[in-house]
Amino acid sequence: PEVDISRFDAKSFKIEGKLWRCYLDMLGDAGYITGVVSELNDQGKIIMDCSNIEITQRGLEHLQKDPIMQKIHSCKVKVLS
């Protein structure tokens, strides 16, 4: 199924725009995601275009090793069995 990328923004995650931009910058700098474009609009505000965002192999590996993600997976397995 296709992902509705239009809902991938600060408002959907209920966080401030500045924090959202920081998260995306950090994930990109760490090599976990690609495809985020930052642009300055006519009003001098930074616009983040996530329409081409992708998780990298490194990002997937990080998620597999992340203890929180492992707990979520084990809970999911318990619920499904």
Side-chain angles (χ1 to χ4, degrees):
E2 285 292 316
V3 176
D4 182 6
I5 203 69
S6 67
R7 300 188 69 180
F8 193 71
D9 58 12
K11 186 176 179 181
S12 296
F13 288 96
K14 298 179 180 158
I15 59 173
E16 291 185 33
K18 186 175 182 177
L19 184 58
W20 176 248
R21 290 188 300 272
C22 287
Y23 284 151
L24 292 177
D25 285 340
M26 288 187 318
L27 290 168
D29 291 345
Y32 296 146
I33 61 171
T34 61
V36 177
V37 178
S38 300
E39 297 177 345
L40 203 58
N41 70 7
D42 295 338
Q43 291 81 33
K45 292 187 178 184
I46 299 172
I47 304 299
M48 303 293 282
D49 178 4
C50 297
S51 59
N52 293 313
I53 195 169
E54 291 184 356
I55 189 165
T56 64
Q57 182 66 35
R58 183 174 183 191
L60 290 171
E61 290 168 0
H62 173 74
L63 288 175
Q64 287 179 327
K65 294 176 185 174
D66 186 299
I68 294 171
M69 294 304 291
Q70 290 174 358
K71 286 180 184 177
I72 291 170
H73 177 71
S74 66
C75 288
K76 179 180 126 185
V77 169
K78 287 177 187 176
V79 168
L80 294 176
S81 48

